[in-house]
Amino acid sequence: MHGLLVSQIGHGVERGLLTLVLNPLWIIGCLLMVLERSRAARQERRFFGARVSHVWSPVIRSWLWGIVTGVAMSAVCIAAGVVVTPVEVGVVSALTIILGLIRFRFFSPLYGIGILVLAGVVMGWAGIGHNPGLPKWFAPLTQIHVVSWIALGAAASLAEAMLVFSHRHRRSSPAYVLGKRGRPVGAFLTQWSFFVPVLTLSPGTLPLPHFSFAAAWPFLTGGAVAAGWTLAGMPLFVGISSFSLTTLPTEGAAASARDSLFTGLLLVADAYAVYRLGLGYAIVGVLLLLFAKEWTLWRMRRREGVGEPIYAPVKHGVRVLATSPESIAEEMGLLSREVITHVNQVPVHSSYDLHFAFAQSPAYAKLQVEDDRGELRFVGKPVYSGSRNQLGLILVPDDTTTYHMYESTQTGLFQSLYARVLIREPAPGWADAESAPTLE
């Protein structure tokens, strides 16, 4: 008996993975993940003259974290009795692709699921499923598993909350952005997108096992697989892309994760309400699925819009935006937002001054640094002739040189792909001394 159950589970998993692999949505989404990262790396070369972030290692890490989360969410969905059909999966995937062509942030699964649930509610209220005159190809869509799709939307929101919150301390990409006053300011570009494959129950031919400890399983929709079961796979893409100008990247990620967690818990409650009390409560789920994510993105944009840039230039020195990994600047312990006021006892007020001061004492670098609390400290390190070009110091932009920068900043899944790049010339009175705002 035990061996038979294991064999049936293996067949179900095989069927679910097959429907997942044949779904073009996961291929498109994974390509967008790579494209977003590779574009950011290319722009870093234009901005700083060197690549600061990697492409493949964060993408592969996101895939692995997403798959692990997908396995956990699959176990929860199967235990709860979430049932969807391959036709419904195909409809949601097609809706997601079509919406994604309109705007990349609509690749979030909540929008496509919301439209499907809305259609299920309308057909349920109108009694369309009981009309014998409907064409056969339309028949599978007349009995949409509304409860299950609301629960799957909850799983997507909870997965996003966990993944974004757990990655909030990961390195974000430094960038230059056109500020509100028409001047370039420093920023960080956060790109956390995850591929979360979820397997759920689906009507099939495998006999339904009976568990003595849970005779009523599947709990939510037991009747849907009473004649037999299998598994169906649904690729979910969750995450956030955003520019942080007035807040720290960790703060924006934590706020986004809290909103996703709240949305997920509300959807869980709504799915239970629909299961216990009737289809009328599904309209709450529709509103959450279609508008909760928009509310979160609006709040993030508003928070960035009302604040003052925290990576702006200062008059008494040059502000550090970031340091390149494994560089001399990182070994010195220089941190983002710190201000370098002196190099080898020479005052510096611009990136041009900084280059000049380093050129006067090429063998050793002793920096006087002011942190964001106004406290001073000294850092120093010998700079040998072979390593002088590996300082890896990325500064906040000033008026002394030419900059590439993003013109627009947008928030949402894959939205950084829309960011346009401008070139800003030095302020009048400054000659471009061919000094970049980074010391590689």
Side-chain angles (χ1 to χ4, degrees):
M1 180 67 181
H2 178 72
L4 179 61
L5 178 60
V6 172
S7 176
Q8 291 175 351
I9 293 175
H11 284 297
V13 171
E14 181 182 356
R15 175 66 179 176
L17 293 177
L18 181 62
T19 60
L20 186 69
V21 170
L22 295 178
N23 193 326
L25 178 61
W26 78 270
I27 300 177
I28 298 173
C30 288
L31 288 176
L32 286 175
M33 291 175 66
V34 176
L35 179 61
E36 186 178 44
R37 282 285 182 175
S38 60
R39 183 177 187 267
R42 288 197 307 270
Q43 299 303 343
E44 286 176 353
R45 290 188 179 277
R46 297 178 66 184
F47 289 7
F48 316 123
R51 188 182 67 182
V52 181
S53 306
H54 297 285
V55 176
W56 284 106
S57 57
V59 169
I60 294 174
R61 188 186 305 115
S62 296
W63 286 341
L64 293 177
W65 275 99
I67 290 172
V68 170
T69 304
V71 171
M73 287 299 169
S74 298
V76 172
C77 288
I78 292 172
V82 173
V83 177
V84 302
T85 67
V87 173
E88 293 169 351
V89 170
V91 170
V92 171
S93 300
L95 287 171
T96 302
I97 293 173
I98 293 171
L99 292 172
L101 294 176
I102 300 173
R103 213 65 183 167
F104 284 143
R105 73 172 186 270
F106 294 145
F107 259 93
S108 171
L110 299 187
Y111 302 100
I113 293 175
I115 294 175
L116 181 72
V117 171
L118 177 61
V121 171
V122 171
M123 287 189 288
W125 285 346
I128 295 178
H130 304 289
N131 186 349
L134 292 174
K136 292 183 178 181
W137 63 267
F138 190 75
L141 291 176
T142 60
Q143 300 295 329
I144 295 173
H145 298 86
V146 171
V147 176
S148 292
W149 280 106
I150 294 176
L152 198 55
S157 293
L158 294 175
E160 179 171 297
M162 291 187 296
L163 289 168
V164 171
F165 187 78
S166 63
H167 283 70
R168 68 191 186 281
H169 292 299
R170 292 282 183 182
R171 179 187 287 266
S172 298
S173 301
Y176 294 148
V177 174
L178 182 64
K180 292 183 292 185
R181 296 178 176 86
R183 297 182 59 185
V185 296
F188 280 95
L189 171 58
T190 298
Q191 295 173 315
W192 293 322
S193 52
F194 304 91
F195 166 49
V196 182
V198 176
L199 300 182
T200 68
L201 292 171
S202 182
T205 58
L206 298 174
L208 191 67
H210 297 283
F211 302 106
S212 58
F213 61 89
W217 183 85
F219 304 108
L220 290 180
T221 50
V225 291
W229 70 279
T230 186
L231 294 178
M234 178 66 202
L236 307 175
F237 286 90
V238 299
I240 189 70
S241 293
S242 64
F243 288 88
S244 298
L245 288 75
T246 65
T247 60
L248 298 176
T250 54
E251 296 174 353
S256 175
R258 284 194 299 268
D259 286 350
S260 296
L261 175 62
F262 187 59
T263 300
L265 294 177
L266 287 178
L267 286 170
V268 169
D270 184 65
Y272 185 75
V274 175
Y275 168 65
R276 297 290 297 179
L277 303 175
L279 190 63
Y281 288 87
I283 196 65
V284 177
V286 171
L287 295 175
L288 288 171
L289 290 165
L290 293 179
F291 300 110
K293 176 61 68 174
E294 292 299 304
W295 169 254
T296 297
L297 299 180
W298 178 83
R299 288 184 61 204
M300 295 180 68
R301 290 192 295 266
R302 183 178 181 276
R303 185 166 51 246
E304 286 291 333
V306 299
E308 291 296 324
I310 61 176
Y311 307 104
V314 293
K315 296 181 179 180
H316 63 285
V318 291
R319 189 184 294 278
V320 177
L321 176 61
T323 58
S324 299
E326 302 178 357
S327 64
I328 294 175
E330 186 179 61
E331 293 176 4
M332 287 182 177
L334 293 172
L335 302 176
S336 178
R337 299 177 62 195
E338 290 187 326
V339 177
I340 302 173
T341 60
H342 294 75
V343 176
N344 297 326
Q345 299 182 344
V346 178
V348 295
H349 302 283
S350 67
S351 59
Y352 178 82
D353 292 343
L354 191 71
H355 280 273
F356 181 81
F358 273 115
Q360 298 307 302
S361 301
Y364 189 82
K366 182 179 180 181
L367 282 60
Q368 179 175 307
V369 180
E370 178 184 294
D371 63 19
D372 54 1
R373 295 172 297 182
E375 298 180 359
L376 297 177
R377 65 188 180 95
F378 293 90
V379 298
K381 184 178 177 62
V383 181
Y384 302 103
S385 59
S387 62
R388 188 167 175 269
N389 291 326
Q390 300 174 3
L391 287 171
L393 184 58
I394 301 172
L395 304 175
V396 166
D398 53 36
D399 293 327
T400 65
T401 189
T402 301
Y403 295 93
H404 291 82
M405 60 183 174
Y406 290 111
E407 178 188 17
S408 58
T409 60
Q410 302 193 38
T411 303
L413 186 64
F414 302 133
Q415 285 296 102
S416 66
L417 290 170
Y418 290 108
R420 294 189 298 175
V421 176
L422 297 176
I423 299 178
R424 179 187 182 276
E425 299 296 334
W430 281 98
D432 189 353
E434 297 184 355
S435 59
T438 175
L439 294 177
E440 301 173 41

